[in-house]
Amino acid sequence: RVTKRAMIACLAEGIAELKERERVTIALRYQQELTFDEIGGVLGVTEERAWQIHDEALKRLRVKMRKRGLTAP
């Protein structure tokens, strides 16, 4: 069974390995709770591009977690 601590550690490591723009997007979305339109404004990109960067980051995190045998519910 996967512990919450192992899941959090893997996510933290995965986030640290993301490209800077992806890290910023994840932080703005989940820590600051900004919309994709607001994130786009911060990054100087469109709302659509902000969503794409977010999606790419989540895909990278999922792959990392799967490689470690961790899956999110």
Side-chain angles (χ1 to χ4, degrees), residues 18-26 36 39 43 45-60:
L18 291 174
K19 297 174 184 176
E20 181 180 357
R21 205 173 228 197
E22 293 172 336
R23 281 194 312 274
V24 170
T25 300
I26 294 296
F36 289 111
I39 294 168
L43 297 178
V45 298
T46 64
E47 177 180 2
E48 171 79 13
R49 183 64 186 133
W51 183 87
Q52 290 171 346
I53 294 167
H54 173 266
D55 190 50
E56 291 165 7
L58 291 184
K59 286 177 185 175
R60 288 178 196 272

Side-chain angles (χ1 to χ4, degrees), residues 17 22 29 31 40 51 54 61 70:
E17 293 174 0
E22 293 172 336
R29 182 69 177 153
Q31 292 176 334
W51 183 87
H54 173 266
L61 291 172
L70 303 172

Side-chain angles (χ1 to χ4, degrees), residues 5-6 10 12 24 32-33 37 42 45 48 65-66 71:
R5 182 172 287 172
C10 184
V24 170
Q32 302 297 319
E33 298 182 351
D37 185 47
V42 170
V45 298
E48 171 79 13
M65 291 180 74
R66 269 190 231 114
T71 56

